[in-house]
Amino acid sequence: MSDERTGERTDAITAAGRWADARSYHHTDYSPERLRAERTASISVCVPARETAETIGGVVSELVAVRELGAIDQVVVVDAASGDGTAAVASRAGAEVHQEADLLADWGPVLGKGDAMWRALSVLHGDVVCYVDGDSQDFARHFATGTAGPVACAPGVDFVKGHFRRPFRVGEVEVADGGGRVTELTARPLLRLFYPELAQVHQPLAGEVAARRELLMSLPYATGYAVETAMLLDAYRETGLDGLAQVDLEQRQNRHQPLAALTSMADEVLGAVAVRLEREGKLAPGSAPVRIIERPPMASVRAA
């Protein structure tokens, strides 16, 4: 590695450390009471859901309680035609429920989680949009308020990632930090190598994300599991490091995917990074090992 490239990498790592010191928050910094009193923007919370009847009721109930406190404005569940009654449970708990296939139906079949998140923009009206996962056990309201808080209250923050400890459970056995396998084995190593300035982003694949609606409307959305990685890199490109932040949500427990599913997830994450490296001229065109399908920025769809 040349002296010039070594210096650039050292500068990027230094910038990452400074960013982490300045833009890392704890969810207790943004309680529902603080959001109600200080927020300068309306907030929509979106829950993409597939076969989550066991957990979606608790998730929605917590979000509706926050809405009734005046800390957020809209609670939307986008259901993937779940056969277990997810939509009915969410509706009874007080959410606004949409079937993902009914949103922007002219775009054809829904191609995974990222596509559902993209289509949800058509019905989310808040100045700030916050996504949370629907399969979280013991969901707490701070997952939403902690994530959305810096965007709604902190000057200059446009995009926030949540991070947490995720235990890995097999039967009655629990490993405290055993979850997040694709994060630690694929996503973070890729960021350290190609985007060292983002090396201090603890969980680039976290489903807890909040951003200004205007920013999200300007971004393409990867259609599958690559959506969180692609969104982080694209937000960084648009806002720079100072526009990003992360929030410690403490602990989250959700369903663990089988190893075969994690392999395809890792492939999609790799594809999202490789495609962006191609666009930036850092990788030869056509080199990406996996081609991911992306939806165009919603702003361009609305303008058409």
Side-chain angles (χ1 to χ4, degrees), residues 235-253:
Y236 167 61
R237 183 194 67 235
E238 292 295 322
T239 73
L241 198 56
D242 288 343
L244 310 181
Q246 62 184 350
V247 175
D248 184 353
L249 301 177
E250 294 192 0
Q251 180 170 302
R252 193 188 80 177
Q253 181 67 59

Side-chain angles (χ1 to χ4, degrees), residues 5 9 17 67 99 137 159 172 180 208 211 218 261 280 302:
R5 290 189 62 190
R9 186 169 185 82
R67 186 184 65 195
Q99 287 299 319
Q137 301 170 14
F159 182 89
E172 299 300 319
E208 284 68 36
S218 74
E280 296 163 11
R302 290 305 195 195

Side-chain angles (χ1 to χ4, degrees), residues 199-265:
Q200 293 298 319
V201 176
H202 294 312
Q203 284 182 310
L205 304 188
E208 284 68 36
V209 180
R212 299 196 184 280
R213 175 183 168 82
E214 183 178 8
L215 172 62
L216 294 177
M217 293 284 286
S218 74
L219 302 181
Y221 273 56
T223 54
Y225 285 118
V227 61
E228 287 93 0
T229 305
M231 190 180 291
L232 172 63
L233 294 177
D234 291 341
Y236 167 61
R237 183 194 67 235
E238 292 295 322
T239 73
L241 198 56
D242 288 343
L244 310 181
Q246 62 184 350
V247 175
D248 184 353
L249 301 177
E250 294 192 0
Q251 180 170 302
R252 193 188 80 177
Q253 181 67 59
N254 60 357
R255 293 182 303 202
H256 293 289
Q257 300 285 350
L259 188 60
L262 295 184
T263 300
S264 61
M265 187 184 301

